[in-house]
Amino acid sequence: VQLQASGGGLVQIGGSLRLSCTASGSHTLADHAIGWFRQAPGKDHEGVSRIEKSDDTTWYSDSVKGRFTIVRDNAKNTVYLQMHNLKTDDTARYFCTADPVLINAARFSTIHHFGSFGRGTQVTVSS
């Protein structure tokens, strides 16, 4: 499933942005778990959030918990990542993917995407 992330931009510390994830062609996002990842310069991709296919159960990384919200709008075939209280550490390129795997271990949890990432959308938080 080919997904496109959009809505990034330049925002000051403490500001908010809403990212959108849409599908190309006739794919229905409600048929998939959807994940958000980000990649800061010189770093690996980091799982940020995930929403389950069946019951919309959500997962967040510790770094964004309480500040970011993932939500579906099935009528618009869109998944949003609402970001509040942005920090400079949130500066990264953000990507959305279909069906990332949720990994729950004893001391940590994360999500993993198998395959390539799309173009993503840049979020820059300035001080």
Side-chain angles (χ1 to χ4, degrees):
V1 179
Q2 199 81 349
L3 303 181
Q4 294 85 41
S6 62
L10 175 65
V11 64
Q12 291 187 327
I13 289 175
S16 299
L17 276 176
R18 188 179 74 168
L19 305 184
S20 299
C21 178
T22 55
S24 61
S26 60
H27 296 292
T28 301
L29 294 190
D31 294 338
H32 301 273
I34 301 297
W36 283 95
F37 293 79
R38 65 187 182 187
Q39 186 179 31
K43 295 187 176 181
D44 292 334
H45 287 89
E46 172 193 7
V48 173
S49 184
R50 179 183 186 272
I51 187 165
E52 185 57 76
K53 171 181 67 173
S54 56
D55 60 4
D56 284 355
T57 298
T58 56
W59 173 90
Y60 299 95
S61 67
D62 287 344
S63 60
V64 307
K65 201 173 293 182
R67 300 187 297 120
F68 290 13
T69 303
I70 188 170
V71 63
R72 293 184 184 274
D73 185 336
N74 291 333
K76 296 183 178 180
N77 200 27
T78 302
V79 173
Y80 298 104
L81 185 69
Q82 181 68 56
M83 307 185 295
H84 294 295
N85 191 22
L86 284 162
K87 307 176 181 180
T88 55
D89 286 348
D90 296 319
T91 294
R93 194 156 194 89
Y94 284 71
F95 307 84
C96 59
T97 68
D99 301 317
V101 175
L102 176 62
I103 300 170
N104 278 313
R107 297 187 179 185
F108 73 94
S109 65
T110 189
I111 55 174
H112 183 77
H113 170 66
F114 295 93
S116 61
F117 291 87
R119 290 180 57 188
T121 186
Q122 179 67 34
V123 172
T124 303
V125 183
S126 65
S127 57

